[in-house]
Amino acid sequence: MTKYIFVTGGVTSSLGKGIISASLAKLLQARGYRVTIQKFDPYINIDPGTLNPYEHGECYVTEDGAETDLDLGHYERFLNTPTSQANNITTGRIYQNVINKEREGEYLGKTVQVVPHITDEIKRNMRILGESGEYDIVITELGGTVGDIESLPYIEAVRQFRWEAGAHNSLVIHLTLIPYLAAAGELKTKPTQHSVKTLLEYGIQPDILVCRTEHHISTEIRKKIALFCNVNINAVIESVDASTIYDVPLLMLKEQLDKTVLTKLKLPNKNEPDLESWKDFLGRLKNPTAEIKIGLIGKYVELPDAYKSINEAFIHAGAKNECKVRLKHIHSEDMLPENAAEKLAGLDGVLVAPGFGSRGIDGKIEAIRYVREHNIPFFGICLGMQCAVVEFARNVLGWKDAHSTEMDPDTPYPVISMMEEQKKIKNKGGTMRLGAYPCELKKGSKAAAIYGKSRISERHRHRYEFNNQYLKNYEDAGLIASGINPDSNLVEIVELKNHPFFVGAQFHPELKSTVANPHPLFVNFVAASLAHARKK
Ligand code: GLN
């Protein structure tokens, strides 16, 4: 029978519920349990696909093409197992389902209400993954902070769920903050006490408290928290700030979070967790033998969360190469023809990021011209790949006004243009080319050598594509299509001959990079940048 763990947050947002959930899942997985994590977000958007990255950070795309919260990226990176639409539910989706059922007459004669109809729909979604029979343990992370108006129906659903599931079949972990008051020189437990009181008002006694803190928590403080929050002292778990999120599973292991969870769920503490490969990764991450500097050019660089998966993919690829990757975030709007050399000086490689719309596009194109001409390793992702195609048209093929029709619908050279199937679509949400598609790699290409196979599958999120009408011009001039979708003929990878590393991918390789499987394109881009650094 599947056991359920709920993770709630108190005191403030941004305490890292996603990392704690992923770390606990990692420990349980390392003991041989089949675990998955799902996230319930209390906002009314159906999914984060229509949200500006400034609002919500990166939109993470799953194999089945769901646009989801960036925490799902952490789940995949830690567990190395794919997630799906079922792993991310929003209030918008819950209400949409209930309203559709109401229109279909499913509640005929009844007044449709938050309790029981919305809470029933939340509980139904909480059970979906567990009922698949694929998991021993389902961890459900509730977005938001306890006490928020919008998370109330979820908290009530958890209360009901626990009562229905019976003893030892579910537990609640409450993540909270123990602030340090420098003036008093003390760690303070009061906010945690209040946050637990709020949960109690809603009928939920947390089983375990994970306490985020900048300083170690003494036994005295643990006792105090235990006494005032009705938990055992071994259920007060310290989560002290770590230098990398990848340390957190080991910190939780030291605090015996996994053991406490298994005991409370009456599950056998079978097998000590096997974390050998995880520790090996951490060893490489923390003991680099070299260092490189890579420029990340994008229009959301002020907010690192906007490029979360790219940042993490560099961490995985850096560790694989035993090389520290320093990222220099460059705002594409600050890149001008006259300052390209200065902005890109000293960089060992340049990545042009995904994105939408024309803001900053000229800077991206200018940067690509510079790295192409100066043999600096280049990696373009989605919009970054499209910019490389535009740059090549303008500066190598001599088509001065070439562009993507996303930026210039009337360009005489629409080298990137909207996909046929996209032209009739009016709705914005969930209508891009999304999720995993196969790709055939060209024999003898760099891409084929990097992947070491001829057929791959990668995840997408775009509306525009390479215009095949111009493919011959490109290939004759040296920019070849080395990855093609075998069903639709869409160009998925372009690469430049006679350049140390110049690769553009229409898909998002960063979404599939995990600790256990660093993405080969990132690994090779880092290796090429390292080679470039050594040559300098
Ligand atoms: N805006 C481009 C498109 O829609 C690229 C999207 C992206 O970078 N994810 O095709």
Side-chain angles (χ1 to χ4, degrees):
M1 193 187 142
T2 308
K3 307 270 185 173
Y4 293 87
I5 299 173
F6 297 96
V7 180
T8 59
V11 185
T12 73
S13 57
S14 307
L15 289 181
K17 284 193 294 278
I19 302 296
I20 290 295
S21 302
S23 299
L24 171 60
K26 179 78 231 167
L27 294 179
L28 296 170
Q29 183 194 55
R31 285 175 177 273
Y33 287 102
R34 300 171 306 159
V35 193
T36 190
I37 318 176
Q38 54 186 357
K39 170 125 194 230
F40 283 59
D41 275 312
Y43 52 73
I44 296 174
N45 303 62
I46 298 293
D47 59 45
T50 53
L51 287 173
N52 185 319
Y54 286 127
E55 290 266 330
H56 197 260
E58 164 187 283
C59 172
Y60 187 79
V61 180
T62 56
E63 287 289 294
D64 62 346
E67 297 179 287
T68 71
D69 186 76
L70 58 76
D71 273 345
L72 272 76
H74 291 307
Y75 308 162
E76 292 203 10
R77 288 187 282 271
F78 277 54
L79 297 181
N80 197 37
T81 55
T83 54
S84 70
Q85 180 64 73
N87 295 76
N88 192 195
I89 303 291
T90 68
T91 292
R93 199 170 283 278
I94 297 286
Y95 271 81
Q96 190 179 53
N97 292 347
V98 168
I99 291 168
N100 287 344
K101 285 183 197 167
E102 187 274 336
R103 291 290 83 181
E104 285 160 14
E106 201 165 300
Y107 311 115
L108 225 46
K110 292 265 180 290
T111 309
V112 181
Q113 295 177 297
V114 173
V115 182
H117 302 100
I118 294 296
T119 45
D120 279 352
E121 181 62 15
I122 294 174
K123 286 189 290 178
R124 189 182 72 79
N125 279 277
M126 285 172 169
R127 279 191 293 261
I128 288 177
L129 287 168
E131 284 170 352
S132 71
E134 288 173 38
Y135 303 104
D136 306 312
I137 301 169
V138 175
I139 300 179
T140 302
E141 178 193 344
L142 297 187
T145 307
V146 166
D148 293 349
I149 293 175
E150 54 183 20
S151 48
L152 269 176
Y154 293 93
I155 301 288
E156 168 60 11
V158 171
R159 188 195 66 74
Q160 294 179 14
F161 190 107
R162 301 202 66 193
W163 183 78
E164 289 165 358
H168 311 298
N169 291 325
S170 75
L171 63 79
V172 171
I173 298 177
H174 189 53
L175 180 61
T176 171
L177 176 71
I178 310 288
Y180 177 75
L181 287 195
E186 275 180 47
L187 287 166
K188 290 296 186 188
T189 66
K190 194 72 85 189
T192 295
Q193 296 177 39
H194 280 296
S195 162
V196 170
K197 280 213 176 88
T198 307
L199 264 182
L200 286 168
E201 270 172 39
Y202 301 143
I204 293 180
Q205 166 66 55
D207 301 277
I208 297 174
L209 298 175
V210 175
C211 304
R212 283 301 309 277
T213 172
E214 289 172 22
H215 301 274
H216 289 291
I217 306 177
S218 66
T219 310
E220 279 318 298
I221 291 182
R222 287 181 197 245
K223 275 189 189 152
K224 190 169 167 187
I225 296 170
L227 178 66
F228 289 118
C229 301
N230 325 314
V231 296
N232 304 332
I233 185 150
N234 67 355
V236 178
I237 306 287
E238 170 192 283
S239 172
V240 73
D241 288 357
S243 62
T244 156
I245 56 171
Y246 299 107
D247 269 339
V248 180
L250 298 182
L251 293 175
M252 291 303 106
L253 179 70
K254 216 166 123 215
E255 288 285 305
Q256 305 197 330
L257 173 61
D258 54 332
K259 265 195 182 151
T260 307
V261 161
L262 292 173
T263 308
K264 287 192 185 289
L265 291 175
K266 291 222 178 320
L267 286 171
N269 269 341
K270 58 177 181 187
N271 318 331
E272 278 306 300
D274 175 7
L275 292 164
E276 276 324 299
S277 58
W278 192 270
K279 287 180 186 163
D280 176 61
F281 158 77
L282 276 175
R284 288 163 172 272
L285 180 66
K286 292 183 175 177
N287 300 292
T289 54
E291 182 173 318
I292 54 169
K293 203 164 166 192
I294 286 182
L296 193 160
I297 305 182
K299 68 170 179 177
Y300 304 112
V301 290
E302 308 89 319
L303 185 81
D305 268 4
Y307 302 114
K308 192 88 209 162
S309 293
I310 291 179
N311 294 336
E312 300 305 315
F314 272 123
I315 292 176
H316 309 152
K320 183 86 184 169
N321 282 288
E322 293 181 16
C323 168
K324 170 142 191 75
V325 179
R326 280 196 191 285
L327 288 183
K328 177 181 176 191
H329 292 100
I330 303 172
H331 206 299
S332 41
E333 277 178 310
D334 297 341
M335 284 282 321
L336 306 168
E338 49 280 17
N339 69 11
E342 174 203 332
K343 287 262 174 223
L344 303 180
L347 293 178
D348 305 308
V350 168
L351 184 143
V352 175
F356 296 83
S358 53
R359 187 165 69 96
I361 204 82
D362 292 330
K364 290 183 173 181
I365 293 171
E366 190 48 37
I368 296 169
R369 184 189 60 75
Y370 187 88
V371 295
R372 181 177 54 74
E373 290 177 352
H374 290 81
N375 286 321
I376 299 170
F378 163 75
F379 191 11
I381 298 182
C382 207
L383 181 62
M385 170 269 198
Q386 298 175 355
C387 287
V389 169
V390 171
E391 189 279 325
F392 197 83
R394 291 182 181 180
N395 300 323
V396 178
L397 299 174
W399 304 338
K400 286 294 161 239
D401 300 318
H403 219 323
S404 160
T405 55
E406 180 182 6
M407 323 300 163
D408 177 5
D410 303 319
T411 168
Y413 295 100
V415 290
I416 300 291
S417 64
M418 189 175 269
M419 285 178 271
E420 255 339 287
E421 70 262 29
Q422 285 285 332
K423 288 185 178 156
K424 291 175 283 300
I425 296 174
K426 289 277 174 292
N427 272 2
K428 287 273 184 262
T431 56
M432 278 185 255
R433 181 178 183 231
L434 289 166
Y437 285 91
C439 171
E440 229 16 84
L441 302 178
K442 192 178 243 165
K443 264 208 185 77
S445 66
K446 185 171 259 145
I450 287 173
Y451 279 93
K453 51 185 169 184
S454 59
R455 172 70 81 107
I456 57 165
S457 166
E458 293 280 3
R459 298 183 202 168
H460 295 251
R461 183 175 189 245
H462 61 114
R463 286 200 170 83
Y464 296 81
E465 53 152 338
F466 182 91
N467 186 343
N468 272 328
Q469 178 191 337
Y470 301 108
L471 182 57
K472 190 165 168 6
N473 303 75
Y474 276 89
E475 296 211 315
D476 288 348
L479 188 73
I480 63 159
S482 52
I484 305 267
N485 178 304
D487 307 319
S488 59
N489 240 4
L490 293 180
V491 172
E492 311 284 31
I493 307 179
V494 295
E495 63 182 61
L496 198 57
K497 288 185 185 164
N498 305 323
H499 188 286
F501 191 105
F502 190 100
V503 177
Q506 183 58 79
F507 49 79
H508 291 262
E510 72 276 20
L511 301 174
K512 285 183 73 168
S513 185
T514 69
V515 167
N517 274 318
H519 196 285
L521 285 175
F522 276 88
V523 172
N524 277 270
F525 175 53
V526 168
S529 305
L530 185 57
H532 180 82
R534 294 210 161 119
K535 229 172 35 210
K536 276 193 313 189

